[in-house]
Amino acid sequence: MRNALLAAALAAALAAAPAHAAETRIPAAALEQAAQLRERALADDTGWKIAESLTTEIGPRLAGSEADARAVAWAQAKFRELGFDRVWTEPVTFPKWERRSESAAVVGAHAQPLAITALGGSPGGTVQAQVARFADLAALEAAPEGSLAGKIAFVDFQMQAARDGSGYRDGGAVRSRGPSAAIRKGAIGFLMRSAGTDNHRVPHTGITRYDEGLAPVPAAALSIPDADQLARLAARGPVTVRLALDCGWDGRYTSQNVIGEITGRSRPKEVVLIGAHLDSWDLGTGAVDDAAGIGITLAAARLIGRMPRRPARSIRVVAYANEEQGLHGGRAYAAEHAADIALHQLAAESDFGAGRIYAFDTGAPAHARAATAQIAQALAPLGIEYAPGQGSPGPDIIPLAAKGATWAWLAQDGSDYFHLHHTADDTLDKIDPAALAQNVAAYAVFAYLAAEAEGDFGSSAKD
Amino acid sequence: MRNALLAAALAAALAAAPAHAAETRIPAAALEQAAQLRERALADDTGWKIAESLTTEIGPRLAGSEADARAVAWAQAKFRELGFDRVWTEPVTFPKWERRSESAAVVGAHAQPLAITALGGSPGGTVQAQVARFADLAALEAAPEGSLAGKIAFVDFQMQAARDGSGYRDGGAVRSRGPSAAIRKGAIGFLMRSAGTDNHRVPHTGITRYDEGLAPVPAAALSIPDADQLARLAARGPVTVRLALDCGWDGRYTSQNVIGEITGRSRPKEVVLIGAHLDSWDLGTGAVDDAAGIGITLAAARLIGRMPRRPARSIRVVAYANEEQGLHGGRAYAAEHAADIALHQLAAESDFGAGRIYAFDTGAPAHARAATAQIAQALAPLGIEYAPGQGSPGPDIIPLAAKGATWAWLAQDGSDYFHLHHTADDTLDKIDPAALAQNVAAYAVFAYLAAEAEGDFGSSAKD
């Protein structure tokens, strides 16, 4: 997800950056090559095949699980199979969270099961208590201190679908801030209407965090129909729910960022960074989140690697470890490469599903705006508009951008993304192969042109 | 579901029926009343409120469960609340099947969970074995004897969506006949692609039966995406699946058909029979299957009951017990009322979801065809066509029709029905209130006109 506040901060920083003498330009020959690359990509199904392989052979790959290790091995083998020049891994260590079992039910006169899933980071525990319903997070936060003593808080906020995913700002806030707010009011458990836009019995998980000093309580999301149901029951009178979670943190785990590179012919140490995250939540097979991004970026780099000659700069693809629980892979990459920020020309992550890309921008300063516009022009035949001022870095790029790397933004249509996001329904059948190929084409064109640009895109290490 | 073979048999029987002297006709005054009734019904939300009440307050109501008893009490109270003249119950006894827990997983190199649900009637048990995939039931039936020894059979047949639900004939056959076919070939477990048309992680349950003399093995349905996944894995090489079911038959249970009647003013012993089934599968809240039918038929009768005067005949509404596991309520009703077949003028069940009604017919013989056409004409403003020769009795009417009662057929649009049928996704949000009101209007018009008809519809006890 895009981080609008960070984007604003970066824009302010860029405005204060020193002026460059030379304007960055993309040579005409590269633009001609890019047009051919674009057409080859549209006719190529490698991206879909990669997503098919990851979701089928590995399936769900929760960070720290047995499948995490299988996914790392899969990624190394896949990079090699696709002909990358260099393949390596970099360690990523994080706390390990496990989901073992979970259930919930209305008890009493209207006894019935409820479809729920624990939020990532929730402790285990069984609570049975009356439910206190709140229409949104603000209503919960406005409840009197102590008013939820012995109760389960239920935040019944329905997020809205939008092409740019903007509804997730409020929906995701319920998940990240709701449990702590509930604890402050005395609640012994937390339920939320899933941060989702579907109408299926598939609750949406996702990480939550408990503020320092609070004793965590079990926290779970109801599927949308179950939230409807609980709201209807609550409107009839007091409702008691039993929530039973067996899950929690269990030590630390070291996974790997898996990295492949198409080595540049003349400036190999300078890299155009693309990638996606390798981990997924455990409920689905992580198809739109984010096997799609893995397929898109690996396939794009592979197409560039099969051109008659290598681009000037290297194309580096990172399959990030554990994005879902706190951008652990992105943070580790940024820490490991802090000394090389200026070598990262542009950095982009594909992590918003498998919908068509509709807009493009970079965070480049003035001297590289013309080059950004040139890339946008090469993307236009794919139905992509140049949208300066609207973009921001992808999740795993945020830590790198915070250190001074310039981001690129290839905005995917996320109208359906939150039907599937973090649910059991995130499976391969939800990926449209034609839309995926459009993404591959966009990433291939963008990465190739950035790698062929004469002049830089403004990345420089910040203090 | 409609039973085409039975319909053909009934048509043959009707052709041999004795001719009636007098042609049945509907008086003009009744047709005028029906037009007003139709408009009142379209503006009335009682049907939706009934479905809301049943799905919310009772929720899932598996035959024989604690919720079965609550549903019976709910139905009695609801009939009374809606002003029915008589409310009573008739016992229905059947074997009780319970689902306690269920899980499945691919084991080995591609280890991952699979979303499954036990078929109703399956025994419990845990089996772990290699999967043998068959494209359809015929392929399974053609497998050599003994060829599945020690294996789990997987029938990967995808049923097709259709307005009239005709795809269920082949899809349902996999469920009803597949397990026995698998056992005959030596299989120790049975998996099928759900008899459904959605693409969600919600497997479709439903009753199965094991042929006499066979030792039942655990049988379950995979959700459609999970069947896709297992098919992809099977195409890569041998796949081992672990299937663990805790479920099975456990004694007998006596539930009730709950019956309400709007008593006719002049021929009260003659009844127009409408109804739906009160039970549901346990995974969803039984909204389209069949709270919708309960709402439609109770609301239709209530509207007739609120007219300035009662119709000539009685309108009887039956909320049938345990349709799902073998038409137990319908069989019990037919047995109980075997002596009164000729008093049942027309009998219809609403049990195909909440989609709009698009066609109408009855199984009436020649002397009541004109009256059937008159009813059809009164239904035409609702977008319903007269479709002689295409209908058949609803499930719980089959036993009564077999004894000689004349059925009526109000065909609902089932294009989406098998997205939801027997899954966790069968919840209230899937009911379109406007479509439901159209159903109420159709049932009200049909039942009222049948109750006002001068002359009969040909029901007579068969030997």
Side-chain angles (χ1 to χ4, degrees):
Chain A
M1 277 305 305
R2 310 295 156 184
N3 185 324
L5 290 177
L6 178 63
L10 290 168
L14 291 170
H20 279 66
E23 191 166 76
T24 302
R25 297 292 300 177
I26 296 171
L31 292 167
E32 283 171 28
Q33 288 292 318
Q36 295 174 29
L37 182 62
R38 188 178 64 221
E39 298 310 309
R40 277 199 300 280
L42 289 175
D44 187 85
D45 65 356
T46 304
W48 192 86
K49 283 178 174 165
I50 295 167
E52 192 266 0
S53 172
L54 178 55
T55 57
T56 303
E57 294 161 23
I58 310 301
R61 45 202 180 278
L62 185 70
S65 70
E66 170 272 339
D68 182 323
R70 281 195 286 127
V72 166
W74 173 93
Q76 292 175 275
K78 191 60 69 178
F79 274 121
R80 292 202 180 94
E81 176 191 326
L82 295 174
F84 281 69
D85 299 316
R86 288 177 63 208
V87 181
W88 72 100
T89 63
E90 296 175 358
V92 183
T93 300
F94 47 80
K96 177 175 153 185
W97 184 82
E98 288 186 333
R99 184 193 316 273
R100 291 176 289 267
S101 73
E102 53 195 16
S103 66
V106 173
V107 299
H110 306 308
Q112 53 188 287
L114 294 170
I116 58 104
T117 192
L119 302 185
S122 173
T126 297
V127 292
Q128 179 169 322
Q130 195 174 314
V131 164
R133 178 185 173 274
F134 298 92
D136 54 26
L137 183 60
L140 170 61
E141 288 173 338
E145 296 299 314
S147 62
L148 299 185
K151 293 188 178 174
I152 296 173
F154 165 36
V155 180
D156 194 21
F157 176 76
Q158 176 59 56
M159 74 166 274
Q160 300 302 308
R163 186 173 72 163
D164 67 356
S166 51
Y168 190 56
R169 188 177 56 186
D170 291 339
V174 175
R175 198 182 72 222
S176 47
R177 289 162 44 202
S180 291
I183 294 166
R184 285 200 185 84
K185 309 298 181 181
I188 61 170
F190 177 81
L191 287 172
M192 65 179 283
R193 179 181 284 261
S194 282
T197 55
D198 59 289
N199 66 342
H200 300 287
R201 300 292 293 286
V202 287
H204 297 236
T205 190
I207 198 74
T208 191
R209 269 180 207 80
Y210 298 85
D211 293 347
E212 292 278 333
L214 298 179
V217 303
L222 295 149
S223 85
I224 309 288
D226 289 83
D228 291 344
Q229 183 83 332
L230 190 55
R232 281 191 296 267
L233 286 168
R236 281 164 159 83
V239 186
T240 297
V241 165
R242 181 177 181 277
L243 174 64
L245 304 182
D246 180 10
C247 56
W249 297 106
D250 181 23
R252 293 178 72 77
Y253 180 88
T254 297
S255 184
Q256 306 288 330
N257 284 337
V258 185
I259 306 172
E261 203 168 89
I262 303 294
T263 306
R265 70 173 187 278
S266 54
R267 285 170 284 168
K269 290 188 176 173
E270 298 183 21
V271 300
V272 177
L273 189 77
I274 59 178
H277 65 85
L278 185 57
D279 70 311
S280 78
W281 282 104
D282 51 333
L283 304 176
T285 61
V288 306
D289 188 17
D290 187 22
I294 294 286
I296 290 163
T297 54
L298 269 69
R302 170 185 167 274
L303 281 165
I304 296 171
R306 290 166 75 98
M307 293 172 75
R309 68 171 194 170
R310 291 281 185 269
R313 294 171 172 129
S314 295
I315 310 292
R316 185 179 292 178
V317 183
V318 184
Y320 296 95
N322 198 351
E323 183 273 344
E324 293 294 2
Q325 297 172 23
L327 316 184
H328 291 284
R331 291 179 205 272
Y333 183 89
E336 178 70 22
H337 297 273
D340 306 329
I341 295 297
L343 296 174
H344 288 75
Q345 288 299 314
L346 283 173
E349 183 178 27
S350 172
D351 181 24
F352 197 50
R356 285 174 188 270
I357 295 172
Y358 66 90
F360 173 75
D361 193 21
T362 74
H367 75 274
R369 295 311 305 171
T372 296
Q374 283 184 294
I375 297 173
Q377 198 169 357
L379 294 172
L382 295 170
I384 298 170
E385 71 169 320
Y386 181 33
Q390 294 179 35
S392 57
D396 284 303
I397 306 303
I398 292 173
L400 201 69
K403 290 182 187 296
T406 303
W407 47 266
W409 174 67
L410 294 90
Q412 291 171 291
D413 186 331
S415 302
D416 299 339
Y417 185 61
F418 292 101
H419 294 4
L420 309 169
H421 181 249
H422 297 183
T423 75
D425 256 350
D426 182 6
T427 48
L428 180 66
D429 50 291
K430 313 306 187 303
I431 297 180
D432 171 1
L436 202 75
Q438 187 258 13
N439 275 264
V440 173
Y443 267 85
V445 165
F446 144 71
Y448 175 74
L449 292 178
E452 285 286 9
E454 293 173 354
D456 68 86
F457 286 88
S459 293
S460 64
K462 284 188 191 166
D463 292 334
Chain B
M1 278 305 306
R2 309 297 157 183
N3 185 324
L5 288 177
L6 179 61
L10 289 169
L14 291 171
H20 279 65
E23 190 165 79
T24 302
R25 296 293 300 178
I26 296 172
L31 293 167
E32 283 170 29
Q33 288 292 318
Q36 295 173 29
L37 182 63
R38 188 179 65 221
E39 298 311 308
R40 278 200 300 281
L42 289 174
D44 187 85
D45 64 356
T46 304
W48 192 86
K49 283 177 174 166
I50 295 168
E52 193 267 359
S53 173
L54 178 55
T55 57
T56 303
E57 293 161 22
I58 310 302
R61 45 201 180 279
L62 185 69
S65 70
E66 169 271 341
D68 183 321
R70 281 195 286 126
V72 166
W74 172 93
Q76 293 175 273
K78 191 61 70 179
F79 274 120
R80 294 204 179 92
E81 175 192 325
L82 294 174
F84 281 69
D85 300 315
R86 288 177 63 209
V87 182
W88 72 99
T89 62
E90 295 174 356
V92 182
T93 300
F94 48 81
K96 177 174 153 188
W97 184 81
E98 288 186 334
R99 185 194 314 273
R100 291 174 290 266
S101 73
E102 52 195 17
S103 67
V106 173
V107 299
H110 306 308
Q112 54 189 287
L114 295 170
I116 58 103
T117 194
L119 302 185
S122 173
T126 298
V127 293
Q128 179 169 322
Q130 193 174 314
V131 163
R133 177 185 174 275
F134 297 93
D136 54 27
L137 183 60
L140 170 61
E141 288 173 339
E145 296 300 314
S147 61
L148 300 185
K151 293 188 176 174
I152 296 173
F154 165 36
V155 180
D156 193 22
F157 177 74
Q158 176 59 56
M159 73 165 274
Q160 299 302 308
R163 186 172 72 162
D164 67 357
S166 51
Y168 190 57
R169 188 177 55 187
D170 290 339
V174 175
R175 198 182 71 220
S176 47
R177 289 161 45 201
S180 291
I183 294 166
R184 284 201 186 85
K185 309 299 181 180
I188 60 170
F190 177 79
L191 286 172
M192 64 179 284
R193 177 181 287 260
S194 281
T197 55
D198 60 289
N199 67 343
H200 299 288
R201 298 292 293 286
V202 287
H204 298 236
T205 190
I207 198 73
T208 190
R209 271 183 204 78
Y210 298 85
D211 293 348
E212 292 278 334
L214 298 179
V217 302
L222 295 150
S223 86
I224 309 288
D226 290 85
D228 291 344
Q229 183 82 333
L230 190 54
R232 282 190 296 268
L233 286 168
R236 281 164 160 85
V239 187
T240 296
V241 165
R242 180 177 180 278
L243 173 64
L245 305 183
D246 180 10
C247 57
W249 297 107
D250 181 23
R252 292 177 74 77
Y253 180 89
T254 296
S255 183
Q256 307 289 330
N257 283 337
V258 185
I259 306 173
E261 203 167 89
I262 302 295
T263 306
R265 70 173 187 276
S266 54
R267 284 170 284 169
K269 290 188 177 175
E270 297 182 22
V271 301
V272 177
L273 190 76
I274 59 177
H277 66 86
L278 185 58
D279 70 310
S280 78
W281 282 104
D282 51 332
L283 305 176
T285 62
V288 306
D289 188 16
D290 187 19
I294 295 286
I296 290 162
T297 54
L298 268 70
R302 170 185 168 273
L303 281 165
I304 295 170
R306 290 165 74 97
M307 293 172 77
R309 67 171 193 171
R310 293 280 184 270
R313 293 170 172 129
S314 295
I315 310 290
R316 184 179 294 178
V317 183
V318 184
Y320 296 96
N322 197 352
E323 182 274 344
E324 293 294 3
Q325 297 172 25
L327 317 183
H328 292 285
R331 291 178 204 273
Y333 184 88
E336 179 68 24
H337 298 272
D340 306 328
I341 294 296
L343 297 175
H344 287 74
Q345 287 299 314
L346 282 173
E349 182 177 28
S350 173
D351 181 24
F352 197 49
R356 285 175 187 269
I357 295 171
Y358 66 90
F360 174 75
D361 193 20
T362 73
H367 75 275
R369 294 313 304 171
T372 296
Q374 282 183 293
I375 298 173
Q377 199 170 354
L379 294 172
L382 295 170
I384 298 170
E385 69 170 322
Y386 181 33
Q390 294 179 34
S392 57
D396 283 303
I397 306 304
I398 292 172
L400 201 68
K403 290 182 188 294
T406 303
W407 47 264
W409 174 68
L410 294 91
Q412 293 172 289
D413 186 330
S415 302
D416 299 340
Y417 185 61
F418 292 101
H419 294 3
L420 309 168
H421 181 250
H422 298 184
T423 75
D425 256 350
D426 182 4
T427 49
L428 180 64
D429 51 290
K430 312 307 188 302
I431 297 180
D432 172 2
L436 201 73
Q438 187 258 13
N439 275 264
V440 174
Y443 267 86
V445 165
F446 144 70
Y448 175 73
L449 293 178
E452 286 285 9
E454 293 171 355
D456 68 86
F457 286 88
S459 293
S460 64
K462 285 189 191 167
D463 292 333

